[in-house]
Amino acid sequence: MTASGLYRRADRVFRPWKNGGGETAEILVAPPGADFEDFDWRISTAIVAASGPFSAFPGVDRVLTVLEGGAIVLTVGDGEHRLDTAGEPFAFPGDTPAAARLECEALLDFNVMVRRPLRATVVRGPLAPGARGASERARLALLLEDRAGLARLDLVDLAAAAPSLVASLAGTQALDVRISG
């Protein structure tokens, strides 16, 4: 975690998937330095360039949001869900078989993963900063527009960032991420 609580889009490093279907940039993980086997929660963005299966994450719940590009049809278990840039974040269990079918050449998504019993909620809309709830472990905002010297898709840790910055973000279109439990 950064002392300033800011995680800028420009600083992200994308790494290719083993299957060649895309690339992921990890933005933030707790505890710091955790890998896929021992994280409590993880936030990343991914460039999805090909249709195919999702990796299974037993004991992990996911929330996926399309940020840029076209649509994706996500099959989770027996259900199909179409996700696009205008849609709401979609939550699903990471241990249920899932596959994606692109309706475009490529897209950028935002992925929040939490290991149970933690819970994640992601809400798209105007940001309303406030005190963190008693059960919240983290409250973050992925900006969907430029504001207060920050760029679209910068991530802000609302507990770590300067209070004046957080106050200036009120009303900004964002994905409001709350991790609790």
Side-chain angles (χ1 to χ4, degrees), residues 5-7 12 27-28 43 110 140-142 153-157:
L6 302 177
Y7 303 87
R12 294 184 192 141
I27 301 171
L28 188 57
I43 296 179
F110 180 68
L140 309 148
L142 184 78
L153 303 184
D154 285 350
L155 183 77
V156 180
D157 180 336

Side-chain angles (χ1 to χ4, degrees), residues 118-152:
L118 298 181
R119 293 175 312 282
T121 57
V122 180
V123 177
R124 183 190 302 261
L127 186 62
R132 200 158 85 177
S135 68
E136 283 182 0
R137 295 204 179 185
R139 174 125 185 254
L140 309 148
L142 184 78
L143 304 183
L144 299 177
E145 62 182 332
D146 295 348
R147 176 75 66 96
L150 298 175
R152 181 178 177 276

